[in-house]
Amino acid sequence: MQIATMYFKDRAQLKLQDELLQYNLNKSKGKFVGKRAEAIRELDDFEATRDAAKSIRQRVLDNLDTWLEIFEENARARGTTVLWAETPDEVNRHVLDIAARHGLKKAIKSKSMVSEESALDHAIEAAGMKVVETDLGEYILQINDYEPPSHIIAPALHKSKEEVSALFAKVHGTAPKTGIQELCAEARAVLREHYLTGDLGITGANFLIAETGSVFLVTNEGNATLCTTLPKVHVAITGIEKVVPTLEEASTLLRLLTRSATGQSITNYVDILTGIKGAGEFHGAEHMYVILVDSGRSKVLASEVKEALRCIRCGACMNHCPVYQNIGGHSYGWVYPGPIGSVITPMFIGQEVAADLPNASTLCGSCASVCPVRIPLPELLRKHRETQVRLDLRPVGERLGLRLWTWLASRPALYAWATRLGVRVMKWLGGYEGRIHSLPLASGWTNGRDLPAPAGKTFRELYAARRRAGRQT
Amino acid sequence: MSSARDNILARVRAALGRQAADPAARSAAQVHMAAHPIGPRPALPEDLRARFLENALKLESSTDELATRKDIPVAVARYLDRLGVDRRAAGWPEFADLDWAAAGVDLAIRPTQGLDPVGVTGVYCAIAETGTLVVLAGSEAPSATLLLPDTHIAVLSAGRIVGSMEEAFALIRRERGQMPRAVNMISGPSRTGDIEQTIVLGAHGPFRVHLLILP
Ligand code: SF4
């Protein structure tokens, strides 16, 4: 996917001023949050389940090489071809090679965030093949000139039904529909044709099961089920961190994944695919491939933010993030938005280009308090901020400002004098109303709101006065 | 061996502070897998059948309890009449012996290719905790029959209702020895919430799932 992380501030600003987007975001705000809160109550011991989930994921990461090899052996034993990709480009090359080898013409694709990393759809089209996104949300974005997804679970969250209606009418050449039900029916009819004619099914993997060499997929629409049942070739593309030792452990993770994501006790479809079709079987893939993608993950594993690899991509951290909820997913500028995106994006595409992301957080801690695998997201964001300071990636003004402040703060007399002067100037600026409408060097604050002016004396002055008064009585 | 594989594994090992595969980690992993450790699960009542039915209804499946297997064709006819659709369906071979003609149902025993409005399938087992049907793919169990038709009718024996997903996996291991090509777990009709988070049934798969439950 095209990188736009460096425009974070400008984009966020635009999104905040985009009335339609704000209206759409407000409409969906809180729906996921409320449903999740209800669904986790179904678990007798939610916190213990989170502990278990955390240790399942951590166990794999602690010996990731071993688990990858076990997965690979067991997948191979069932006829699955396991391929490895170091970079996003290599992912695309693998897929195009497979398509060429089997003479494939049309890919039907179930939602895969990993494939967004390499803009796989564009590569497929450039090779002269057709590709159809089958998740309804992804389909809407695809026919809107490949608009990027704004959420990892609900990619078209930012769109209203009116926008979808206008888009369908334009692209399908049909009369505009008003109801959501009718819109879904129209998409169903269009996509059904593609399901029946696609010869390559592309999916991600929610988990890879080491003990059986299986690909574990969850969807509500059933699109992954269709993409892995009808076409003659199935390619699953996923990150190397997605291995889970056993089916039992995947069951534990699933209890948390669906509840944390959409507040469901289970998704409508769970598919566990193991190898190629058996003798006498009518449906199912004749050839199955799993592409294990690094693209920066091994770098995360070696870094201070390695705990981020425990992520099961439930989206709860973004649903509960006040920043995400106000600016939407597009502002973040790459595949993964929200708190988890701000942690992993700098590792995948570089600290320099994604320097704003770790700072796009108030560190309020909501994300960590809901994360089902207990990733300490605010702590990891803070680590990125420290790295940025160490690498001199902060803007010149900020660096100079902090240096000046350090110099001043370590000279108490001068500091007292300067702050006394400062609060008096600010009180004067605040004028009669006591509010400052614009302040040089702090326009980021005053553009959006007024700064209340200080009372005219510093804390130390007031404290000293009070002590004097106390002594007199 | 591809070099991408070697490079990735080498980077992973470097991150973990080792140079080569660790035999101790390998044997620990084998022991771990063999133990199939089970995490915390919600407590279930004694009566799994009642819990299953309760959850299946919550998922917007409908149910009909039958006395014997022989009643299946009549129950299918009754359900299709209620829906107001033709008594026409594609079904799995396990139902070939039943008297469909007497019930006035035209049941074609073949894998569906997308044109059949109704699919009649069996079920391997079901999960009480979530109201889920577990279907194993095989030559006698074509998967698309439960996916492509607008209406999916599934026949389940109450004796095959287990508590949790973990128990379903244990059952597969015990009875089949290994995983089939596909385990498809179905929890109600296909749905989407992708437009304004409004739930609509029948996204790509069935609009409705009807369960015929045998004792
Ligand atoms: S970081 Fe945690 S909350 Fe966020 S998507 Fe990943 S698992 Fe879910």
Side-chain angles (χ1 to χ4, degrees), chain A residues 59 63 66-67 70 245-246, chain B residues 23-35:
Chain A
R59 171 188 300 279
N63 282 295
T66 310
W67 291 109
I70 295 174
T246 62
Chain B
R26 179 69 185 226
S27 39
Q30 300 293 1
V31 171
H32 176 82
M33 287 188 293

Side-chain angles (χ1 to χ4, degrees), chain A residues 152 311-317 340 371-373 375 377:
Chain A
I152 60 174
C311 178
I312 54 173
R313 302 278 187 267
C314 70
C317 55
I340 183 65
C371 176
V373 286
I375 298 173
L377 292 153

Side-chain angles (χ1 to χ4, degrees), chain A residues 353-416:
Chain A
V353 274
D356 281 336
L357 298 185
N359 297 287
S361 164
T362 63
L363 304 183
C364 74
S366 296
C367 48
S369 74
V370 296
C371 176
V373 286
R374 297 198 193 277
I375 298 173
L377 292 153
E379 204 178 294
L380 304 186
L381 289 170
R382 205 157 28 224
K383 284 187 174 148
H384 273 321
R385 293 184 188 184
E386 286 164 18
T387 307
Q388 290 183 1
V389 171
R390 220 170 34 241
L391 297 179
D392 264 353
L393 289 175
R394 301 307 307 155
V396 183
E398 186 183 310
R399 263 152 50 202
L400 275 178
L402 281 173
R403 231 172 272 160
L404 185 67
W405 187 84
T406 315
W407 182 82
L408 192 64
S410 46
R411 285 163 181 77
L414 192 60
Y415 181 82

Side-chain angles (χ1 to χ4, degrees), chain B:
Chain B
M1 288 296 139
S2 76
S3 73
R5 177 186 191 277
D6 296 345
N7 295 343
I8 293 171
L9 285 175
R11 275 200 299 274
V12 167
R13 287 186 179 124
L16 298 173
R18 57 176 72 133
Q19 262 105 54
D22 176 358
R26 179 69 185 226
S27 39
Q30 300 293 1
V31 171
H32 176 82
M33 287 188 293
H36 296 294
I38 289 179
R41 284 183 288 187
L44 289 168
E46 192 98 333
D47 189 352
L48 292 181
R49 175 197 172 103
R51 177 57 62 90
F52 171 79
L53 288 174
E54 184 191 318
N55 282 327
L57 293 179
K58 264 196 232 158
L59 294 166
E60 285 162 272
S61 300
S62 51
T63 58
D64 189 1
E65 299 186 49
L66 310 183
T68 79
R69 203 172 158 272
K70 284 206 213 58
D71 299 338
I72 295 172
V74 177
V76 168
R78 192 166 55 223
Y79 177 66
L80 296 183
D81 289 353
R82 206 167 73 219
L83 283 181
V85 303
D86 285 353
R87 291 179 178 183
R88 205 154 48 78
W92 280 6
E94 69 182 76
F95 304 112
D97 63 317
L98 297 170
D99 195 352
W100 294 93
V105 177
D106 173 11
L107 185 86
I109 302 293
R110 56 173 156 75
T112 186
Q113 310 236 44
L115 297 174
D116 301 292
V118 180
V120 181
T121 77
V123 167
Y124 173 72
C125 69
I127 300 169
E129 183 189 325
T130 47
T132 301
L133 305 175
V134 180
V135 179
L136 309 189
S139 56
E140 303 295 296
S143 318
T145 310
L146 49 103
L147 284 170
L148 290 174
D150 288 354
T151 303
H152 173 207
I153 300 178
V155 181
L156 164 71
S157 300
R160 302 289 293 179
I161 298 173
V162 299
S164 62
M165 191 172 275
E166 287 87 340
E167 287 169 54
F169 291 133
L171 197 63
I172 296 174
R173 255 181 226 123
R174 202 160 61 235
E175 293 183 348
R176 298 283 175 104
Q178 67 167 15
M179 290 289 275
R181 176 193 61 81
V183 178
N184 300 117
M185 300 196 184
I186 297 145
S187 305
S190 152
R191 69 186 61 198
T192 181
D194 271 354
I195 304 179
E196 297 190 355
Q197 286 177 287
T198 302
I199 301 297
V200 173
L201 299 185
H204 306 286
F207 289 91
R208 51 197 87 79
V209 175
H210 184 61
L211 307 178
L212 301 180
I213 297 164
L214 300 172

